[in-house]
Amino acid sequence: ATVSLGMITLQDPQNVRIATALLVVCFVLVFGTGMLLLRYCMSVAALAFLVTLAGAWMLGLTAVFWGFSYQFALVFSGMVLICHFMMRSHRLVFLHEQLLTQEKEHLTGLSEELAELSLRDALTGVANRRRFDDVLQQEWDRARRQQSPLALLFIDIDFFKAYNDHYGHQAGDDCLRAVAFVLVDTARRPTDLVARYGGEGFVLLLPDAEARGALETAERIRSFLSQAAIPHAVSPQ
């Protein structure tokens, strides 16, 4: 609409060309760089172009008609190319940011996984001594503040050295994993913690457990291990 009015008020073809070029440049730069708006901006600009040509033709401004057509086509095509490369650059930046975000999330996951692995016993999969010491201190402090009970079971495999010497270290590892499985299956509360204390020793931390409940848990462990019937041919008992 502005260009059409300019055709009437600005009779000098050079002024019309300059005004048209400035309008097209401003129009495309301001509105045309948005990916969703570009197609609509192009449609509006093309419509304005046709209206302006029609007005110039009806007013008999032949020189202005051809000059405006050339100037508009040249500037508009150039600005469309600029917008294309700008959008391409924006897409590349967006994809790069997405890749960086995914890489950051992946590294965060790996870091958390490594931190988790550092607190687990590699052989049995239960918590290691470091994890047990940290949780024991936390639960001890909490029990003192809240005046709540805290039970701790020590489980040691009898005659394990003789078992290793007779069956081999691979069988000894299998024995440790079997015992750990029984302990994990027994510790059913989310707050219970099974940990390998060292060698053939395990611990089971039972927050908010009275002595009677701890004894019942210990008896269940003994019963389950008896049912597992792990062979020990050289046991003196």
Side-chain angles (χ1 to χ4, degrees), residues 5 15 23 27 60 84 95 114 125 130-131 138 142-143 150 158 162 165 177 184 200 203 205 210 233:
L5 292 175
N15 292 335
L23 284 173
F27 181 81
H84 168 74
L95 291 175
L114 289 175
R130 175 186 172 188
R131 173 64 174 166
Q138 295 172 9
R142 187 182 68 85
L150 178 64
D158 292 334
D165 294 340
R177 281 190 285 263
V184 172
E200 65 271 21
V203 288
L205 186 63
E210 301 283 353

Side-chain angles (χ1 to χ4, degrees), residues 10-218:
L10 300 175
Q11 297 296 325
D12 185 2
Q14 183 64 27
N15 292 335
V16 174
R17 294 193 187 104
I18 294 175
T20 303
L22 292 175
L23 284 173
V24 172
V25 170
C26 294
F27 181 81
V28 178
L29 280 180
V30 174
F31 298 103
T33 55
M35 295 179 64
L36 296 178
L37 295 176
L38 181 59
R39 65 182 64 181
Y40 303 109
C41 293
M42 291 177 64
S43 301
V44 173
L47 179 61
F49 169 66
L50 294 176
V51 171
T52 304
L53 289 184
W57 182 264
M58 293 175 62
L59 293 174
L61 303 175
T62 306
V64 174
F65 176 88
W66 292 111
F68 174 74
S69 301
Y70 169 77
Q71 190 75 20
F72 185 92
L74 182 63
V75 175
F76 187 75
S77 300
M79 296 312 301
V80 168
L81 288 176
I82 292 175
C83 289
H84 168 74
F85 288 112
M86 291 178 65
M87 287 191 298
R88 186 166 180 260
S89 176
H90 292 166
R91 286 195 297 266
L92 291 176
V93 171
F94 174 77
L95 291 175
H96 184 63
E97 291 176 351
Q98 292 298 312
L99 290 175
L100 289 178
T101 301
Q102 293 180 1
E103 185 68 19
K104 183 179 179 180
E105 293 176 353
H106 179 65
L107 292 176
T108 301
L110 288 179
S111 178
E112 293 175 353
E113 184 178 352
L114 289 175
E116 180 70 18
L117 290 175
S118 68
L119 300 175
R120 288 193 173 275
D121 179 61
L123 178 62
T124 61
V126 299
N128 58 17
R129 177 68 179 272
R130 175 186 172 188
R131 173 64 174 166
F132 166 71
D133 291 340
D134 293 341
V135 175
L136 176 62
Q137 186 62 52
Q138 295 172 9
E139 292 297 338
W140 178 259
D141 294 339
R142 187 182 68 85
R144 292 185 61 186
R145 288 195 308 270
Q146 300 179 1
Q147 295 297 307
S148 58
L150 178 64
L152 178 63
L153 303 181
F154 279 86
I155 299 95
D156 188 76
I157 304 176
D158 292 334
F159 314 111
F160 185 72
K161 184 178 183 305
Y163 186 93
N164 254 346
D165 294 340
H166 182 74
Y167 292 101
H169 291 286
Q170 182 61 49
D173 292 345
D174 294 338
C175 176
L176 291 173
R177 281 190 285 263
V179 173
F181 178 81
V182 171
L183 295 177
V184 172
D185 189 55
T186 306
R188 298 173 180 176
R189 299 186 306 170
T191 55
D192 296 343
L193 177 70
V194 178
R196 187 179 179 188
Y197 195 74
E200 65 271 21
F202 293 88
V203 288
L204 177 54
L205 186 63
L206 303 170
D208 299 314
E210 301 283 353
R212 181 176 178 179
L215 289 174
E216 292 175 353
T217 300

